[in-house]
Amino acid sequence: MRSVRIGVDTGGTFTDVVAVDEQTGEITTTKTPSTPANPADGFMEGVRKVLRKAAGAGRDTGAVTGTGTGEAAGTGPDAGTDPGTGTGTGTTGPDLRAVSAVVHGTTVATNQLLEDRIADLGFVTTEGFEFILEIARQSVPDGYGNSYFWVKPPRIVPVHRVRTVGGRLDHTGAEVRPFDEAQAAEAARWFRERGITAIGVCFLHSYANPAHEQRMREVLEREHPDAVVSISSDVLREYREYERSVTTLVDAAVKPTMRRYIANLAERLEEASRSREAAGTAGEDGEEAPDAGEAQGWEGAQDGQGGGSGTEGGRARGPAGMPFSVMKSNGGVLSAAEVVHQPITTVLSGPAAGALGAALIAGTAGHPSVITLDGGGTSTDVAVVVDGEPSLTTEGNVGRYPCKIPMIDIVTVGAGGGSVAWISPEGTLKVGPRSAGADPGPLCYGRGGTEVTVTDAHVFLGRVPPHLLGGEIPLDADAARKGIEELAGRIGLTPERAAAGVLEISAFNQSNAIRQITVKRGLDVRDFPMVAFGGSGPLLVCRLIDILGLPSVIVPSDPGNVSAFGLLTVDVKNDYVRTFVTRDLSLETAAEIFGELEGRAASALDREGFPATEHVHARSADLRYYGQAYEVRVPAPAGPLDEAWRAEVLERFHTEHRKLYGYGYRDDPRHGVEWVNLRVSGIGPITRPVLARRPAGTGRPEPAASREVFYDAWGPVPVHRRSGLPAGAEIAGPAVIEEYGSTLPLHPGFTATVDAFGNLEVRRAADPAR
């Protein structure tokens, strides 16, 4: 029987799905509209759709629309050949028994935070520290020159829903005052009487000793059994009480939503699998249907007991015996049964998968260090990959909430296909960050949108076809034209200049995000090729090459599905941290702390089904020069801790500090080094998909169609089908290269060359025609 792994990335506009056949390595991709009212509907339809396509129901070859020789809209990859929406009929529907694993990238937690949908959240902290959230940090957006106008936003928990409990620990974890059990019970009953069921607990210095927080959790379980509780020593065992408090509260806030969402998906997958058995398909391959009892491994996620006990191929089972994992912000995945206990780790789930997928694609093609640009309908996410690894940070934010969990360092800007063009009170044309979203969407969607978007500008200029997904979703080009003409009249420009201006502003918005992730990090943007993916990612790459001086841009095959593909390239990964501030690190103490962290990592990997021989423990440490306020993280060697180990970590710190800030004190004894945090990442490696080479072609590729496109002027432009371009093919602009999930407008003076793996490498021509 076939064994298929599926990655599902749910975005605001589309749900992207990739399936990899583990026997043949064949990769199948597709997209389906997202369902914001219930994301599980789009998720399940995507799984069914990709299984139908993998079984031969249809192929994503991409439709090309033009004049004369072009194919008609609606003859694309899924139009007329894919059974469409629904679950299939009779015994011809998709067989979920073929699925060996599902990995999911979700924005459920992210969207809840971005939209400030946080209600009935409670906070328990140390007596005397009830205003910790109000004090926060002395920082003002855009500098202190803005302080006269800036109004501090409301706290994640209003002060009237904060309860304090007596008891005190010092910075070493020693007890100064005992935990006040009676006060703790009173606080728990106060929350229960008011129906507050999501509660975060953060006591002073609990990073050094979690005992008081653990006792508070026991009291809450006894006095308020309906409460969902997060304690800071579980979420973030690291000092800085404000960031630790907010991170813990964010975890508590999204935990109920994530538990409901994951449980719903698990139930839907189980029902779909069992319905196949009931349809009488168990004997299709001469095999018995999976025993319904195998589904029991999921129950731990719903009753709070952690991952299930069933295994398949050494991995923890999800619903119906099917391993079901969720992408984390740190570049790893975790079983759904475990992730519901640490939902904050999923807040940058989708963008993290995109950066990792792009890193693998670029590395395979010989580009270990790249900038990644993931262009979607609402926003663009930018990251940097150095030597095959995306940069990590613990100083990230989601919306207005600081989250100190390890996450891939991603800068997001509101510059997507749905970004709205508007005129400021001063009469200046602006684009974004507000988006038309998926509903009603751009004018050309024909769903009641009333404002011009970036997508409308592309459609008006002919740079994208008058349909999406190879004809599945027709676009209303007339509506886009009327909107552009009305906008042009308001600012006194021709429609073409107005539309080109919208795209130019969007390109500069994206370039600013790229500068933030490179120039502001001490990197020269001109040293990095860029990988552009996502549905709207390739649309502006020619302008970005000119604006930033990029050496080239790589556009992968199926760029709209790179994030979903990235989900299938990711190891299981958990991060653990202990704060231990000292200028003279005892190697015995360090060994004890690392031993504790590695023990926790090993236990988590055991629950995920990895044998001990496959465990990987990656150490790191946060250091700073004495007197500094923030740290620099460096990898720490494995093996025994001795003076050579200490010297190696210090040498790495001095080198990294100089690289980041332009100076260091390696040879200056007046500036001592302070150790702050010790960290361990527990990694369970998986087998990654192998990217196939594309056969080389002979002769000049012929366009599949031609249509009127505006670059510098209107004129007929050749339109190429991406799937028809062999390795070595070179296309000279002006041209348009179309495929199922995205389009590359190739401006005059640029060339696109197909490499050995089917990627398009876009460059300025040697002698550009300007």
Side-chain angles (χ1 to χ4, degrees):
M1 184 175 179
R2 298 179 70 190
S3 177
V4 178
R5 293 172 60 220
I6 296 177
V8 184
D9 178 48
T10 300
T13 305
F14 291 103
T15 294
D16 305 328
V17 193
V18 172
V20 175
D21 188 309
E22 294 186 303
Q23 277 73 48
T24 66
E26 181 182 0
I27 297 175
T28 305
T29 66
T30 193
K31 299 167 81 76
T32 190
S34 294
T35 52
N38 185 356
D41 292 340
F43 176 98
M44 289 304 303
E45 176 52 29
V47 171
R48 297 185 189 103
K49 188 174 181 181
V50 80
L51 286 175
R52 287 194 296 266
K53 294 174 70 63
R59 299 294 178 196
D60 279 350
T61 57
V64 176
T65 299
T67 59
T69 61
E71 295 180 3
T75 62
D78 289 314
T81 57
D82 192 282
T85 60
T87 60
T89 58
T91 59
T92 62
D95 188 355
L96 267 70
R97 292 183 303 124
V99 180
S100 62
V102 175
V103 187
H104 183 31
T106 175
T107 57
V108 168
T110 313
N111 291 342
Q112 183 180 352
L113 298 174
L114 292 177
E115 296 169 17
D116 268 340
R117 290 185 283 108
I118 296 174
D120 298 330
L121 181 62
F123 182 38
V124 182
T125 191
T126 303
E127 187 176 37
F129 285 81
E130 60 267 34
F131 297 110
I132 186 172
L133 299 179
E134 303 299 321
I135 297 170
R137 292 295 177 196
Q138 189 177 352
S139 59
V140 176
D142 302 320
Y144 289 105
N146 191 38
S147 60
Y148 182 80
F149 306 97
W150 181 69
V151 177
K152 182 182 288 187
R155 304 296 90 186
I156 187 171
V157 177
V159 70
H160 67 270
R161 288 209 298 265
V162 177
R163 300 289 96 183
T164 62
V165 173
R168 185 70 179 269
L169 305 170
D170 68 14
H171 70 284
T172 68
E175 189 173 78
V176 177
R177 291 197 302 272
F179 178 74
D180 191 328
E181 189 98 9
Q183 203 171 355
E186 181 182 349
R189 289 191 290 268
W190 187 91
F191 288 121
R192 184 189 65 200
E193 291 165 0
R194 287 156 181 80
I196 298 172
T197 57
I199 301 170
V201 179
C202 183
F203 291 150
L204 207 63
H205 301 307
S206 58
Y207 59 85
N209 181 355
H212 285 191
E213 286 191 350
Q214 291 169 349
R215 290 176 65 185
M216 185 69 222
R217 178 167 57 189
E218 293 169 359
V219 171
L220 284 164
E221 289 172 349
R222 182 185 72 234
E223 300 288 341
H224 190 5
D226 293 333
V228 175
V229 181
S230 295
I231 64 174
S232 74
S233 50
D234 283 351
V235 176
L236 182 69
R237 199 166 173 181
E238 187 176 335
Y239 88 144
R240 293 195 174 99
E241 65 275 7
Y242 171 67
E243 287 80 5
R244 182 158 45 94
S245 296
V246 176
T247 303
T248 303
L249 288 166
V250 167
D251 185 78
V254 301
K255 191 173 286 185
T257 304
M258 281 295 293
R259 282 186 172 178
R260 287 192 299 269
Y261 175 65
I262 295 298
N264 185 16
L265 282 181
E267 183 179 354
R268 298 281 290 273
L269 285 168
E270 184 175 344
E271 287 175 355
S273 181
R274 287 179 174 174
S275 68
R276 285 293 300 176
E277 297 171 27
T281 60
E284 285 181 352
D285 299 299
E287 300 177 1
E288 293 295 326
D291 187 354
E294 291 181 346
Q296 299 305 311
W298 172 249
E299 291 182 358
Q302 300 182 61
D303 62 19
Q305 299 303 311
S309 59
T311 59
E312 179 171 341
R315 300 293 179 262
R317 288 185 188 273
M322 182 193 305
F324 177 34
S325 304
V326 178
M327 181 74 198
K328 298 171 64 179
S329 308
N330 67 352
V333 296
L334 193 61
S335 69
E338 288 283 332
V339 84
V340 292
H341 304 302
Q342 41 181 296
I344 191 175
T345 62
T346 70
V347 293
L348 287 180
S349 178
L356 289 162
L360 177 62
I361 291 168
T364 303
H367 307 282
S369 299
V370 293
I371 298 165
T372 70
L373 183 143
D374 182 358
T378 301
S379 62
T380 295
D381 303 307
V382 182
V384 171
V385 176
V386 178
D387 295 329
E389 295 293 333
S391 301
L392 293 173
T393 183
T394 57
E395 302 298 329
N397 291 270
V398 181
R400 58 187 179 89
Y401 305 114
C403 295
K404 279 186 66 65
I405 60 167
M407 59 179 68
I408 291 178
D409 192 4
I410 293 171
V411 170
T412 300
V413 61
S419 295
V420 171
W422 54 284
I423 300 174
S424 71
E426 299 79 23
T428 303
L429 180 63
K430 306 278 189 179
V431 180
R434 187 165 55 87
S435 173
D439 188 13
L443 293 170
C444 59
Y445 278 21
R447 297 177 183 168
T450 59
E451 298 176 290
V452 171
T453 67
V454 171
T455 297
D456 294 313
H458 281 295
V459 170
F460 170 76
L461 296 175
R463 298 182 188 180
V464 299
H467 57 73
L468 298 177
L469 305 190
E472 289 185 39
I473 303 176
L475 300 179
D476 188 344
D478 285 339
R481 176 182 54 79
K482 292 176 183 177
I484 292 290
E485 289 173 348
E486 191 274 335
L487 177 69
R490 292 167 59 195
I491 55 179
L493 297 175
T494 65
E496 289 79 8
R497 288 194 64 192
V502 169
L503 301 186
E504 189 75 356
I505 294 169
S506 186
F508 270 88
N509 289 340
Q510 290 184 351
S511 70
N512 288 337
I514 294 170
R515 288 190 177 102
Q516 286 185 52
I517 206 73
T518 53
V519 177
K520 289 190 175 182
R521 306 290 199 273
L523 303 173
D524 190 336
V525 67
R526 297 168 297 182
D527 294 337
F528 294 83
M530 185 174 79
V531 183
F533 57 98
S536 69
L539 292 173
L540 297 171
V541 297
C542 292
R543 287 300 300 130
L544 291 173
I545 288 174
D546 277 346
I547 293 169
L548 295 167
L550 297 167
S552 65
V553 172
I554 300 153
V555 181
S557 296
D558 297 310
N561 291 79
V562 168
S563 290
F565 171 77
L567 294 167
L568 303 178
T569 71
V570 180
D571 298 324
V572 170
K573 185 178 180 183
N574 270 313
D575 297 304
Y576 303 91
V577 60
R578 276 283 306 276
T579 291
F580 189 75
V581 182
T582 179
R583 296 177 65 183
D584 185 18
L585 180 68
S586 163
L587 294 176
E588 292 76 14
T589 301
E592 179 182 339
I593 293 173
F594 276 128
E596 176 201 338
L597 299 179
E598 288 170 357
R600 293 175 61 194
S603 296
L605 291 173
D606 288 341
R607 292 195 300 272
E608 292 289 301
F610 287 89
T613 54
E614 295 184 17
H615 293 188
V616 176
H617 296 147
R619 298 172 179 169
S620 59
D622 299 348
L623 299 91
R624 63 191 179 194
Y625 290 117
Y626 182 68
Q628 289 182 330
Y630 288 90
E631 305 81 46
V632 173
R633 182 180 308 172
V634 294
L641 274 62
D642 51 23
E643 290 301 327
W645 179 91
R646 188 206 308 268
E648 176 64 22
V649 175
L650 292 173
E651 177 63 23
R652 293 179 181 183
F653 165 70
H654 292 304
T655 300
E656 187 65 19
H657 194 282
R658 177 171 290 278
K659 183 189 300 183
L660 287 172
Y661 302 111
Y663 71 95
Y665 297 116
R666 177 185 282 103
D667 302 316
D668 190 341
R670 295 173 300 174
H671 296 276
V673 175
E674 191 168 48
W675 301 71
V676 179
N677 298 311
L678 301 180
R679 301 177 183 270
V680 167
S681 294
I683 301 169
I686 59 108
T687 302
R688 291 172 172 79
V690 177
L691 297 175
R693 291 179 176 270
R694 177 166 293 194
T698 58
R700 184 185 181 94
E702 293 297 325
S706 174
R707 71 165 176 263
E708 290 288 313
V709 178
F710 184 91
Y711 286 119
D712 298 320
W714 287 105
V717 166
V719 181
H720 293 266
R721 178 178 291 171
R722 175 82 179 261
S723 60
L725 300 178
E730 181 174 311
I731 307 296
V736 175
I737 303 173
E738 294 180 2
E739 57 188 305
Y740 174 72
S742 190
T743 300
L744 170 63
L746 193 64
H747 291 221
F750 288 84
T751 61
T753 305
V754 183
D755 71 11
F757 296 93
N759 304 305
L760 291 171
E761 189 162 357
V762 183
R763 296 178 179 272
R764 255 289 174 190
D767 183 19
R770 295 185 180 274

